């Protein structure tokens, strides 16, 4: 008879629970400190500018008020880019503008803004475009129409010492018009459901539209007012302009020097490119056989967590898409209109979800909170696209809405280096939600992402198109959490108080699709769309 080995002493259940509770309480104290207050972070300046504009509507030029708010650094280093944050553009159009829109049978609008911002340092200048989007709003019965848009803006870097100034310029407002039932209107004069309003800064605008001034460098201006002028012995052509083979004249050399001095505007602030061996496979298989209209693509991006004042990075994820057949849209004498409905699913290890991804947020630069999460589908994603082709110049615009029912599932949580056991069922109670532009036809909880693509004859497509990809953006509310915690420890309120809430901006980048039935492989004359084993050739890079 063999003797049983002595069991290692085990702590009592009471002591174990006491330690777990102490850990949870300490974690709650740390996380509670992460919930931001209304005060601006140290080292930033809050800008609130109110400017007069003149906007051209169908009834003629009308006065408007534009308010721009943003946070800028108090000072920046030469050559190092920074990004204005919390950018909000509020446009107040007078009651006559409301009458113009109502005359087109519109009951509501969804706005997107494009604000030209002049960036100057000493004698050199550059231009950035600040884009924003808004949730749908109903037309007021009386009084002005107020549109509030938010979005990411380009990064900027000064080339040398000297003040960097930001000034508001021309503003374009793209309006998607909606009828009382939530569908697009059929106003022939503007094309179904759309109107672009161009606005110019009024001549009496204070400070000529000055928004902010950011000192750059040590405070000492570069000689002759030029930031970071290149050495005369430096290589020719550093401005990036193509060489046409002709000798440079005085005007050409001055233009080149001006370009080299100009503040650097980074229209896209991408993340790091990912190698193919670092992304999950994205191919059809026996469980998911392709059809004649099957596409696949990678998507990646960032999602802001407003309460944490940070962003979570979504790594490249595979999406399998069944492209719909275009059908004629509402008739219009000036446009050919086609509507297409497609469907899509994430595809990761035979599940409709993203790969696991980590997000780390810091409080006071020392208290890290790290979470490992996945986005899981509760139903199929729907992609609605409307293409409008002009009968005069054959240019096309395509508006696309992606509706995705996605819950956020937390796999692991670590606070200041201390793991918290969230269990296997820690997730949001419902899908991430957005305000849908057509709630009557699309009820329920789901995320809405929007993108617009434009195509001119003889030129590459710009913006978002389902086949070629591009940027989709939206704003989400993160619901309350449920099922978080083990052994009687309830972490639901902890996560809900720290993370859940509205106003979380999302920016997703979809890569070029691979058409399985007609694959395009890379060649000397073609850019690759598919790999040899029919995976997407392009792995997109996330943009802030």
């Amino acid at each position: 008879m063999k003797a049983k080995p002595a069991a290692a002493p085990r702590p009592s259940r009471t002591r174990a629970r006491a330690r777990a509770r102490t850990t949870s309480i300490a974690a709650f104290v740390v996380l509670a400190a992460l919930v931001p207050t209304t005060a601006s972070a140290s080292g930033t300046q809050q800008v609130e500018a109110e400017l007069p504009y003149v906007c051209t509507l169908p009834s003629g030029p009308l006065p408007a008020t534009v308010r721009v708010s943003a946070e800028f650094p108090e000072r920046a280093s030469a050559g190092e880019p920074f990004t204005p944050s919390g950018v909000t553009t509020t446009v107040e159009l007078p009651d006559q503008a409301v009458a113009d829109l109502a005359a087109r049978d519109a009951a509501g609008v969804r706005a997107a803004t494009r604000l030209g911002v002049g960036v100057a340092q000493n004698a050199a200048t550059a231009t950035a475009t600040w884009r924003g989007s808004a949730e749908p709003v109903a037309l007021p019965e009386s009084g002005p129409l107020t549109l509030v848009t938010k979005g990411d803006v380009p990064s900027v870097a000064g080339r040398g010492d000297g003040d960097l100034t930001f000034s508001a310029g021309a503003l374009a407002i793209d309006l998607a018009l909606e009828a009382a039932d939530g569908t697009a209107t059929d106003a022939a004069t503007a094309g179904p459901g759309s109107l672009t309003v161009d606005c110019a800064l009024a001549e009496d605008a204070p400070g000529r539209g000055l928004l902010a001034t950011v000192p750059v460098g040590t405070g000492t201006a570069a000689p002759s007012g030029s930031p970071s002028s290149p050495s005369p012995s430096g290589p020719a052509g550093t401005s990036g302009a193509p060489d046409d083979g002709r000798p440079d004249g005085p005007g050409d050399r001055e233009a080149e020097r001006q370009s080299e001095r100009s503040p650097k505007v980074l229209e896209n602030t991408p993340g790091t490119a990912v190698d193919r061996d670092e992304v999950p496979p994205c191919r059809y298989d026996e469980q998911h056989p392709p059809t004649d209209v099957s596409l696949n693509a990678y998507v990646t991006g960032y999602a802001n967590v407003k309460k944490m004042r940070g962003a979570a990075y979504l790594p490249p994820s595979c999406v399998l898409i069944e492209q719909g057949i275009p059908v004629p849209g509402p008739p219009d004498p000036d446009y050919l209109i086609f509507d297409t409905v497609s469907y899509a699913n994430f595809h990761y290890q035979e599940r409709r979800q993203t790969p696991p991804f980590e997000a780390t947020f810091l409080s006071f630069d020392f208290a890290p909170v790290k979470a490992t999460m996945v986005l899981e589908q509760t139903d199929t994603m729907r992609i609605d696209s409307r293409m409008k082709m002009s009968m005069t110049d054959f240019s096309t615009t395509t508006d696309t809405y992606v509706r995705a029912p996605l819950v956020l599932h937390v796999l692991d949580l670590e606070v200041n280096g201390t793991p918290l056991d969230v269990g296997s069922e820690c997730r949001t109670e419902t899908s991430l939600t957005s305000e849908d532009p057509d709630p009557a036809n699309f009820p329920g909880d789901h995320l809405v992402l929007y993108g617009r693509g434009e195509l001119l004859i003889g030129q590459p497509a710009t913006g978002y198109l389902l086949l070629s990809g591009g940027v989709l953006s939206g704003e989400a509310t993160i619901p309350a959490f449920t099922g978080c915690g083990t052994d009687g420890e309830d972490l639901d309120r902890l996560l809900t108080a720290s993370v859940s809430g509205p106003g979380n901006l999302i920016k997703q980048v979809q890569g070029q699709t691979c058409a399985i039935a007609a694959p395009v492989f890379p060649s000397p004359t073609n850019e690759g769309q598919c790999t040899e084993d029919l995976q997407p050739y392009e792995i997109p890079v996330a943009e802030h």
Side-chain angles (χ1 to χ4, degrees), residues 229-293:
S229 297
S231 167
S233 59
T238 54
S239 67
D243 184 2
D244 60 6
R246 294 176 297 177
D248 290 339
D252 295 327
R253 288 193 296 271
E254 177 56 32
E256 182 176 325
R257 285 193 294 268
Q258 182 72 10
S259 175
E260 292 169 348
R261 295 195 301 258
S262 297
K264 189 175 183 180
V265 176
L266 307 175
E267 284 296 338
N268 296 314
T269 53
T272 303
V274 179
D275 293 333
R276 182 162 297 276
D277 58 2
E278 297 177 3
V279 300
C282 189
R283 62 170 68 92
Y284 288 84
D285 51 33
E286 293 181 358
Q287 288 74 33
H288 302 84
T291 68
D292 290 342
V293 292

Side-chain angles (χ1 to χ4, degrees), residues 53 114-118 127-130 167-173 198-201:
Y53 272 75
R114 290 170 284 140
L115 177 64
V117 176
T127 301
T129 300
W130 287 8
S167 301
L171 171 69
I173 310 169
D198 293 317
C199 304
L201 188 70

